[in-house]
Amino acid sequence: MTLDHINARRRFAGTAAALCCLLFCISALDGLVSRFGEDPHEVRLLPGESAAVNGPASEGVRDPQDLTVTSDSDQIRLAVDRIHTGFWLGGLMWRGTVTTRSTLEAGDYALTVSVPGEPSGKPLATFRVRVFQDAASLLKSSGPIIQRTIGISP
């Protein structure tokens, strides 16, 4: 192997590494910009799918049965799994799973989590569940440009 071959391979490796770094920076920027633009209380699903959600809980809540869940449709269900302390600030939070039935029509639905007898009457969390007709329309509505065009999450 000559010095020219080694230099050519080194240039190729440097160019490939630079392209990989550029691709990483572009995908990280795309993912971050789209994530900050999303509504944290919006859940996008297909009929028959489920997604994990969480939200804040008030001080009086100690058990998942202390929470009341209401929905626009009886085909959307939220099962609250547990009450836990938050990671960063330590406040009480709840964790659960939103599930849609396979017969649910496409559209926007509201899902509200509240505590019965709360003096303020304000719900703990209100989610907008967006149900899409098919996977193509769900992909088209996703935030990151990379995911919309080639179908891979950044």
Side-chain angles (χ1 to χ4, degrees):
M1 188 173 279
T2 66
L3 185 60
D4 290 336
H5 284 80
I6 293 172
N7 282 336
R9 288 185 179 183
R10 184 177 56 87
R11 272 193 304 275
F12 176 75
T15 304
L19 287 175
C20 287
C21 287
L22 181 66
L23 182 63
F24 171 76
C25 289
I26 289 172
S27 65
L29 184 65
D30 184 28
L32 285 173
V33 167
S34 68
R35 185 69 175 157
F36 283 118
E38 284 182 356
D39 181 12
H41 294 286
E42 181 179 272
V43 181
R44 295 189 325 247
L45 297 169
L46 291 173
E49 284 189 337
S50 61
V53 293
N54 66 351
S58 60
E59 289 300 320
V61 177
R62 297 288 175 218
D63 196 53
Q65 283 77 25
D66 294 342
L67 300 174
T68 301
V69 178
T70 57
S71 174
D72 288 351
S73 173
D74 60 346
Q75 296 188 15
I76 297 176
R77 186 172 159 259
L78 172 63
V80 178
D81 301 328
R82 66 186 197 114
I83 307 295
H84 63 96
T85 55
F87 181 74
W88 293 106
L89 301 175
L92 285 177
M93 299 187 78
W94 57 267
R95 181 177 301 152
T97 305
V98 175
T99 306
T100 61
R101 290 195 181 155
S102 60
T103 57
L104 184 63
E105 295 286 325
D108 290 351
Y109 301 93
L111 185 70
T112 305
V113 179
S114 59
V115 178
E118 181 75 22
S120 66
K122 182 180 170 187
L124 294 175
T126 302
F127 292 95
R128 185 173 100 175
V129 180
R130 295 185 68 197
V131 180
F132 293 91
Q133 187 77 22
D134 54 4
S137 60
L138 177 62
L139 185 64
K140 190 184 292 187
S141 77
S142 66
I145 296 170
I146 294 173
Q147 189 169 0
R148 277 182 288 182
T149 54
I150 61 176
I152 298 172
S153 176

